[in-house]
Amino acid sequence: MPTLSEETLNFSLSIRNFIEFKRFKLRRTNINTNISYLRMCNYDPIKHKTCPIFRIGTILDIVEPDPYEQIKMLKFGGIILINIDWMCNVDRSLDRCIPDYSFGRLDGRFREESFSSGYNFRFASHWKHENRSFRTLTKAFGLRFIVSVSGCAVRFNLIILILNIGLLIGAICLITYIFDNMGLYIYCHSAVDRSQKSKDVPDKSKSRNEQTRLTE
């Protein structure tokens, strides 16, 4: 059985991430240029949102608030997802182009007695002694971190705005035309509606010719 080490909670994880938006020729990093800040900060979802140094205990408190599950994860391992999401508006100051960190647990909870609970792997070490080969197979438990990075950068474009407005107006006109025809030909009183919507206009030139013939 693996032994529990509560000192693991005070271990820290440092993530250095770069992202590039080639369309806007923009490249950003999550490392703050203030070295003194990096030396003293630890990630906190309220006080230090941009700090790239994460305490293991803080991550466990976010992904699994249950103390029982935390102890089981420290003992039998677990899989934790760290998502780094960049949402940048190029029209604004680049100081606002900062990453947003979110965390999640990917393995099953131990209370549910799931087969996928925890995380472990096996590795072998080989050596020779007195011309004999030996192998030791070790089963290790630990916390596995999967880092996922996504990003989106936007910039205002007047041409695209005009095109979208034109497409919207065209779609509204098309929808109006479709529903208008549906009401004229599918509705049970469609014949009455058609008669009210369109009326035959008599030709004035013909009526004048007839009047002149009568006067003659």
Side-chain angles (χ1 to χ4, degrees), residues 20-146:
E20 182 179 6
F21 302 100
K22 294 184 178 180
R23 183 176 181 180
F24 304 111
K25 298 180 180 180
L26 175 64
R27 188 179 184 186
R28 299 291 293 170
T29 178
N30 66 332
I31 301 298
N32 196 309
T33 55
N34 191 348
I35 304 300
S36 59
Y37 172 76
L38 293 176
R39 289 177 178 175
M40 54 80 61
C41 78
N42 273 315
Y43 174 82
D44 185 88
I46 298 176
K47 297 180 180 179
H48 301 285
K49 292 183 178 181
T50 60
C51 182
I53 301 174
F54 307 89
R55 181 176 169 270
I56 301 299
T58 303
I59 296 177
L60 289 180
D61 290 337
I62 295 175
V63 300
E64 190 54 74
D66 189 354
Y68 172 81
E69 291 290 331
Q70 289 188 12
I71 294 175
K72 287 292 185 179
M73 291 179 70
L74 291 175
K75 194 172 184 180
F76 296 102
I79 304 175
I80 297 175
L81 173 66
I82 301 177
N83 186 32
I84 306 175
D85 188 21
W86 294 81
M87 295 296 294
C88 300
N89 188 344
V90 184
D91 295 322
R92 296 183 177 181
S93 174
L94 294 180
D95 294 335
R96 298 186 179 184
C97 183
I98 56 178
D100 180 42
Y101 300 98
S102 59
F103 308 87
R105 182 180 177 183
L106 299 182
D107 63 306
R109 304 182 80 246
F110 291 95
R111 289 186 182 274
E112 299 173 358
E113 297 181 356
S114 174
F115 177 75
S116 61
S117 299
Y119 175 73
N120 63 81
F121 61 96
R122 293 174 174 84
F123 63 94
S125 56
H126 303 265
W127 76 93
K128 287 186 178 182
H129 179 67
E130 295 180 354
N131 294 327
R132 295 183 61 185
S133 297
F134 295 89
R135 185 188 73 163
T136 300
L137 183 63
T138 305
K139 183 178 182 180
F141 297 84
L143 296 174
R144 181 181 181 183
F145 297 94
I146 299 177

Side-chain angles (χ1 to χ4, degrees), residues 141-156:
F141 297 84
L143 296 174
R144 181 181 181 183
F145 297 94
I146 299 177
V147 181
S148 174
V149 181
S150 60
C152 178
V154 294
R155 173 181 288 171
F156 177 76

